[in-house]
Amino acid sequence: MDRIAGIINLDHEQDVLDELTYFRCSAAVPFAGRYRMIDFTISNMSNSRIESIAVFARRKYRSLMDHLEQGKAWDLDRKRGGLFILPPDWNDPTDISKGDLQHFHNNIDFITRTFADYVVVSGTQNICNINFRDVLEEHKASGADVTVVYKKVEELYPEHRRAHKLTIDDGGRVTDIHNDQRSNNVYMDMYILEKNYLYGMIEDCIAHGCSQFFLDGIKARLPEIHIHAYEYEGAHALINSVESYYRHSSSLLNGANHEDLFKEEAPIFTKVKNEPPTKYSQESKVTNTLVANGCVIEGQVEDSILFRGVKVAKGAVIKNSIIMQRCEIDSNAILENVILDKDCRISNSRTLIGVPEKPYVVAKRVSM
């Protein structure tokens, strides 16, 4: 069986989730009641029997490191291979690399020393449940230099404007990578290639003064190299704005959408926290809501997502909202179309109302 190594490249992912990324990178943003966005990428790699994974982190990575630890939750705390969190280290005055090529260049030992034959490179803003073994098989069958993953979306949303699109011929070969807003072939920021080919491209890009591996090493060389497109057909969410985060989070309240993403045969793993079961008082009323462990609910909650340890006091009303860990909602407070980051407290009789297109966001540790 061919061995695959994984690289999770966070260098080019901007902190575009406003208040939710004040204190963390987007990969560490909580999602779906108990997960972080990066959990989906690491779980996809782990489920694909990828045993050596590097995370290229540049900024606001304290929360990320705290969450990932040694990779135990994904069975990556091992003697050979495992999880490697690689913060920036630009102390060499002779280093001429720029952009995310600094990560590839300065951590070239990870690539050369891994026993893998192929390398998968992925970001974290495309939430999905994908088997990279299937991608590898199609990559080998196509004879391509690089295989990129894309999703053919049925409806274009604002978040797709920031994503690259693909033009693909009848044989599955990519003929153009562009930003045409009319195209629905959305590039998912994932690609696979041979380890030795990756090494050669990195060295060549550095020699030519390039700065971004995908843009300068792959996209710019489209006429010269064979790029194959792999169509991913499963559940998908591109999260690169507060609005897209809120909409895709809310879509998981639909049972079918939730089952499409969280598959029994390919589970999504996360850091385990031992919490007691949620406590519901006799006066509580909870409908169509994802509720994590450790909550205490005495009020009314509808069409919402509650993370671990949330307390909802008697008389409080929460609708269409996302409430993260350890938030406290006092008596008679009203929240509708709201996102509360961790450790927030909403005082008695306080009312916060947003709209689905523009949810009201409260940053971490704010009391109102």
Side-chain angles (χ1 to χ4, degrees):
M1 181 179 68
D2 293 306
R3 292 186 175 183
I4 312 175
I7 293 176
I8 301 176
N9 184 10
L10 308 181
D11 190 272
H12 62 287
E13 294 189 352
Q14 301 300 312
D15 301 329
V16 293
L17 300 186
D18 298 342
E19 289 88 347
L20 302 182
T21 47
Y22 279 177
F23 304 102
R24 60 170 80 90
C25 62
S26 61
V29 169
F31 184 74
R34 60 190 297 259
Y35 303 92
R36 305 292 182 111
M37 286 175 56
I38 197 171
D39 290 344
F40 294 84
T41 305
I42 299 182
S43 296
N44 288 336
M45 291 184 175
S46 178
N47 291 334
S48 303
R49 301 188 299 282
I50 297 176
E51 300 177 349
S52 186
I53 301 172
V55 180
F56 291 171
R58 181 182 287 270
R59 61 183 77 84
K60 300 181 184 178
Y61 49 80
R62 185 208 59 79
S63 177
L64 184 70
M65 294 178 70
D66 176 68
H67 176 69
L68 297 178
E69 296 180 330
Q70 289 79 41
K72 181 179 180 180
W74 303 269
D75 192 28
L76 293 170
D77 56 335
R78 52 183 68 216
K79 293 182 178 179
R80 176 173 292 182
L83 182 66
F84 303 86
I85 304 174
L86 304 175
D89 181 14
W90 320 137
N91 295 323
D92 184 358
T94 65
D95 182 18
I96 61 172
S97 57
K98 300 176 291 185
D100 72 351
L101 273 165
Q102 289 180 313
H103 273 296
F104 284 98
H105 184 239
N106 292 351
N107 296 302
I108 198 70
D109 282 353
F110 170 80
I111 298 171
T112 57
R113 292 180 180 179
T114 181
F115 291 99
D117 307 294
Y118 297 86
V119 178
V120 167
V121 182
S122 175
T124 64
Q125 293 180 334
N126 286 270
I127 304 295
C128 64
N129 195 320
I130 186 172
N131 189 327
F132 288 113
R133 289 283 162 184
D134 296 338
V135 183
L136 174 61
E137 290 306 309
E138 190 165 314
H139 171 74
K140 292 166 60 179
S142 70
D145 299 309
V146 182
T147 291
V148 297
V149 181
Y150 77 100
K151 172 73 174 182
K152 182 176 289 186
V153 298
E154 296 179 0
E155 183 176 356
L156 290 169
Y157 288 99
E159 62 264 25
H160 297 134
R161 297 172 186 168
R162 303 182 184 181
H164 283 99
K165 315 297 192 314
L166 307 179
T167 300
I168 307 164
D169 67 16
D170 293 338
R173 183 165 183 163
V174 178
T175 59
D176 194 14
I177 303 174
H178 51 81
N179 295 103
D180 189 342
Q181 303 306 314
R182 296 167 296 179
S183 173
N184 63 347
N185 293 329
V186 177
Y187 168 57
M188 291 176 55
D189 196 20
M190 303 174 184
Y191 54 92
I192 190 170
L193 67 175
E194 286 189 9
K195 180 183 77 171
N196 293 334
Y197 191 76
L198 171 62
Y199 177 83
M201 290 186 72
I202 293 170
E203 293 296 304
D204 190 59
C205 285
I206 297 296
H208 286 84
C210 302
S211 59
Q212 301 296 323
F213 182 76
F214 179 78
L215 296 179
D216 299 323
I218 297 178
K219 180 177 182 293
R221 304 181 185 203
L222 186 59
E224 308 167 20
I225 63 177
H226 179 186
I227 302 177
H228 179 75
Y230 174 90
E231 183 179 359
Y232 166 72
E233 298 180 342
H236 173 252
L238 173 57
I239 298 177
N240 56 16
S241 66
V242 170
E243 292 74 22
S244 60
Y245 173 85
Y246 177 79
R247 187 177 67 256
H248 289 301
S249 296
S250 300
S251 72
L252 294 176
L253 298 176
N254 180 305
N257 293 339
H258 194 276
E259 291 179 6
D260 285 344
L261 181 60
F262 295 95
K263 299 179 180 179
E264 184 176 350
E265 68 274 15
I268 304 300
F269 303 100
T270 190
K271 181 180 179 180
V272 176
K273 293 185 178 180
N274 295 319
E275 299 274 0
T278 288
K279 179 180 179 181
Y280 301 87
S281 74
Q282 290 184 346
E283 297 83 7
S284 65
K285 182 179 178 181
V286 181
T287 57
N288 194 36
T289 295
L290 286 177
V291 182
N293 292 343
C295 296
V296 178
I297 304 177
E298 299 176 339
Q300 178 181 342
V301 186
E302 300 177 11
D303 303 319
S304 297
I305 298 174
L306 305 188
F307 285 72
R308 298 183 179 102
V310 172
K311 296 181 180 180
V312 183
K314 184 178 180 179
V317 177
I318 301 174
K319 296 181 179 180
N320 306 313
S321 296
I322 301 170
I323 314 298
M324 297 188 189
Q325 278 181 253
R326 298 184 300 276
C327 287
E328 297 185 16
I329 316 302
D330 288 346
S331 300
N332 302 313
I334 298 175
L335 305 181
E336 186 171 353
N337 299 316
V338 170
I339 302 175
L340 294 188
D341 206 338
K342 295 168 61 175
D343 299 310
C344 289
R345 180 165 186 170
I346 306 302
S347 58
N348 292 341
S349 303
R350 190 67 187 261
T351 298
L352 302 178
I353 298 179
V355 294
E357 298 77 20
K358 191 71 175 179
Y360 191 108
V361 184
V362 180
K364 188 177 180 181
R365 291 190 295 270
V366 170
S367 296
M368 305 179 68

